[in-house]
Structures are given as C-alpha cells and as structure tokens.
Amino acid sequence: MKGLAENVKMGTWMILLAAGLMLIGLTACGVSQKLSEDFDETEVKAAAEALVGYINEDDLEGLCSVPMSDLMKEAMTVEQMEAVLEQNLGNRGAFVEYKSNVAVGGKDSEGVDAAVAVVVAKYENKTVTYTISYDKEMNLIGFYLK
C-alpha cells in the first residue's frame, strides 16, 4: 500500500512539475500576448473545452489520448491523472457551465510560439480554472488546474 501511495505522490509531482515548467517558460516569456497567426483562436478554444469535457465526463482514457508532447505523455498517464483529479477535483460536483474561455499567445521555454487557453468551469461545489497550452501542431504542452 505504501508503494502505491508513493507512486501516486510521485505521479502528482511529475504532472505538477511538467505543468509548472511549461507555465514558468510561458510566463517568463509573456503569456498575455496576442495569439500568434500560427494558431486559430476558435480551434484552440475548442480543443481546450474538449479536454475539459473529458474531465467532466470522467473519461481519463480520452483525456490521456489527446495529442501531446513527449513530456506530457510521460506525466499524463491514466493512473497519474486519476490520482491528481481525485485529489484536486473529487468534490467538485456536476459540471454546470463554462464561465469563460480565452486564448492568448505565449512562448514556450525555448522561445517558440505557443497558445494558452484559460478555461473557467463552474461545477456544483466549486469553480475550477484550467490553463491549457498547445504547440503549433496543437499538441498539448501544458496543463494546470486550480
């Protein structure tokens, strides 16, 4: 049992580390920039809502099957996401509505253009803000929730 708890804790830290590194890179390079012409705002917003939709439907297989970077593939296994989501969203209640969904531009840690969607979702018991980042190929490169 102790081994499982340690693995869950390590998985949680891996996801937070991956997301944190992406957010630090995006923040340091200026997240609230205009979305690059390499991205379609409607597509970025739709992809972000689809990703949150997997969470709303408790479809972890779907969540972990979205196109993503190799770093995110390592951090977002079904088991790790199940533990992270249960820990952070276990008491959220049923999905009510999207309060907002905006897409802005940023740069990743290597200075390459990225798209950042900030989705605010209202649930019965809490409101959750998802920050979801994509590269030019619309691969998931960052995922953070609070």
Side-chain angles (χ1 to χ4, degrees):
M1 190 69 161
K2 184 178 179 185
L4 177 60
E6 288 174 1
N7 285 341
V8 167
K9 190 173 184 178
M10 178 58 84
T12 300
W13 280 108
M14 285 182 64
I15 291 170
L16 293 175
L17 177 62
L21 288 174
M22 287 306 305
L23 287 175
I24 289 169
L26 290 167
T27 302
C29 298
V31 167
S32 39
Q33 300 176 2
K34 184 176 187 234
L35 191 62
S36 165
E37 292 179 7
D38 294 324
F39 296 96
D40 177 84
E41 181 178 7
T42 303
E43 182 182 7
V44 172
K45 289 176 165 183
E49 279 193 17
L51 190 126
V52 174
Y54 288 126
I55 295 169
N56 294 341
E57 297 296 322
D58 294 320
D59 181 359
L60 298 181
E61 293 286 335
L63 176 65
C64 294
S65 70
V66 300
M68 61 182 76
S69 70
D70 290 339
L71 178 64
M72 291 302 293
K73 285 177 188 172
E74 291 176 23
M76 285 184 64
T77 66
V78 170
E79 296 80 16
Q80 291 166 335
M81 288 307 299
E82 183 174 38
V84 168
L85 294 175
E86 178 59 33
Q87 179 181 356
N88 293 288
L89 300 177
N91 64 346
R92 73 186 185 268
F95 173 74
V96 176
E97 68 179 334
Y98 291 111
K99 300 290 279 175
S100 65
N101 182 356
V102 297
V104 296
K107 302 220 181 262
D108 68 12
S109 58
E110 297 173 358
V112 177
D113 285 333
V116 180
V118 179
V119 179
V120 179
K122 182 177 180 176
Y123 298 91
E124 288 177 328
N125 301 324
K126 68 183 346 180
T127 298
V128 179
T129 302
Y130 298 91
T131 304
I132 304 164
S133 306
Y134 296 98
D135 65 14
K136 289 181 184 179
E137 288 77 40
M138 290 302 293
N139 291 310
L140 181 68
I141 60 171
F143 176 74
Y144 176 77
L145 61 101
K146 67 174 186 170

